[in-house]
Structures are given as structure tokens and as C-alpha cells.
Amino acid sequence: MGSSYQTVLATGELTDVHAAVAASGQQAVVIPAGPARWAVVPFQQDGYAETGELARLLSRPPGALAASFNVFDSDVMAIGLYRDGRNYHDYLSDQEYVTEAWDDDENEIQVDFLGREYPEDATLPAGPYGADPAAFTPLAVGEVDERALTTVLTGEYQFTEEQHAEMLQLLGIDARPLQFTYAEAVASGLGV
């Protein structure tokens, strides 16, 4: 069984981050991840924490950005990027990684980790989706090597959390707190 975690990277003032977490109604630990960068680690119920609404709220203050990270069993990573309270970009590390589900008419379908549905017999798109380094650079601390970031976003990794860590490192962000579960974040004692 691989690693699974859900976290949010937020930019901006700590007071705005705390206000957004309070408005979300979610219990979360906030940990510094770089200059004016915050790892927000929400409480997980049954091993999962919703991050999209939290990221939307964290991106609402002027100039703030947020990225929701969802890593599933070290196999696939879905990222949503938010600005002005709206999603502006999605990334999926592997479009062929889907789960089985049923539509409203009880037909079996396939669903990827961005929520896109495909008929059961569909040929799935291959490779990553949304591997555009320019979408991620506004989150960075300092200059970004976009060629290296493209390599990470399009690369194949045995463990997705390694890809996540390399991506954050290229953005100048401390990956460690953004890979915590809620229990690990609390135990770290790094919360502010």
C-alpha cells in the first residue's frame, strides 16, 4: 500500500490563511513551507480530506494563490490550481489511472482523478494532463527552471510522492509539510 495524502499550498499572509481555514469549517494544521507559503493539512475522515473548497477559499484574498494536492496510493497525483476563488488549472500525473463507477443509468464507467468520466470500453488518453510549467510558476519562490519542471511534470515515477517532492523543490517550496497526513502534521509540532 502506497502513500496517500491531501494537502493545500497557500500563498499570502498567515492571517488570511487562518481566516480561510476558519471559513472552510475544516480542521487543519498550517505549517510554513517557504516565504509567504503555507502548507495547509486538513483533517482526514476515513483517510481522505476534501481540498478543492479549502483551496478556493485560500485563493480569495487579493494576490493569493492555492494549489490542492491529492496523492493516491503513490500511484497518481491530481492538482488543482486556484486564483481569485476559482480553479484556473488542473494537472493529473497519469490519465490512464481510473476507477470503476456507475452512471445514473447504472452503466459501468471509468472515472479519472479529475472526475472526468469515460465509457467502460473507451480508449483512455495516455500520459499526464495539464503538464504546463507556466501554470505552476506563480506559486514559486524565485526563478523556476521551466525545462526541469516540464521534465518532472511529464516524467514517470515509481512513487508519485517523489514526483511531488521534486516539483515543489523546483518551485523553491519545502515539500515535507505538504506530504504530511493530518496526524503527521499534528505530531510534527510545526503548526502556526
Side-chain angles (χ1 to χ4, degrees):
M1 183 119 176
S3 296
S4 294
Y5 53 87
Q6 300 81 40
T7 58
V8 178
L9 170 66
T11 69
E13 298 296 324
L14 181 58
T15 54
D16 290 335
V17 171
H18 281 294
V21 170
S24 77
Q26 285 183 273
Q27 188 176 355
V29 178
V30 178
I31 300 173
R37 304 297 188 273
W38 312 97
V40 181
V41 185
F43 177 77
Q44 297 165 309
Q45 187 168 351
D46 298 324
Y48 179 76
E50 177 57 46
T51 57
E53 178 63 11
L54 181 57
R56 187 186 72 74
L57 292 170
L58 287 161
S59 75
R60 289 179 70 186
L65 299 170
S68 66
F69 301 109
N70 294 286
V71 172
F72 303 95
D73 288 336
S74 298
D75 292 322
V76 65
M77 176 173 51
I79 302 172
L81 303 179
Y82 294 80
R83 176 188 295 126
D84 300 322
R86 292 187 305 275
N87 176 273
Y88 72 88
H89 187 78
D90 289 313
Y91 169 81
L92 184 62
S93 62
D94 183 357
Q95 295 183 84
E96 292 178 301
Y97 196 91
V98 294
T99 62
E100 294 178 358
W102 288 264
D103 65 15
D104 293 337
D105 297 323
E106 298 298 320
N107 297 310
E108 192 168 337
I109 58 172
Q110 303 174 88
V111 182
D112 72 14
F113 283 85
L114 293 177
R116 300 178 303 177
E117 299 179 356
Y118 299 94
E120 181 184 19
D121 59 351
T123 300
L124 298 171
Y129 171 84
D132 177 6
F136 291 87
T137 57
L139 296 165
V141 176
E143 294 294 317
V144 176
D145 181 341
E146 287 196 19
R147 176 175 278 160
L149 185 55
T150 298
T151 299
V152 170
L153 292 171
T154 58
E156 291 185 27
Y157 289 79
Q158 182 176 1
F159 301 107
T160 307
E161 60 270 23
E162 292 173 358
Q163 180 184 27
H164 186 209
E166 287 184 31
M167 179 193 71
L168 291 169
Q169 182 181 18
L170 287 170
L171 296 174
I173 296 164
D174 182 2
R176 186 175 44 119
L178 287 157
Q179 295 184 309
F180 283 158
T181 63
Y182 179 80
E184 291 167 339
V186 169
S188 76
L190 299 173
V192 293

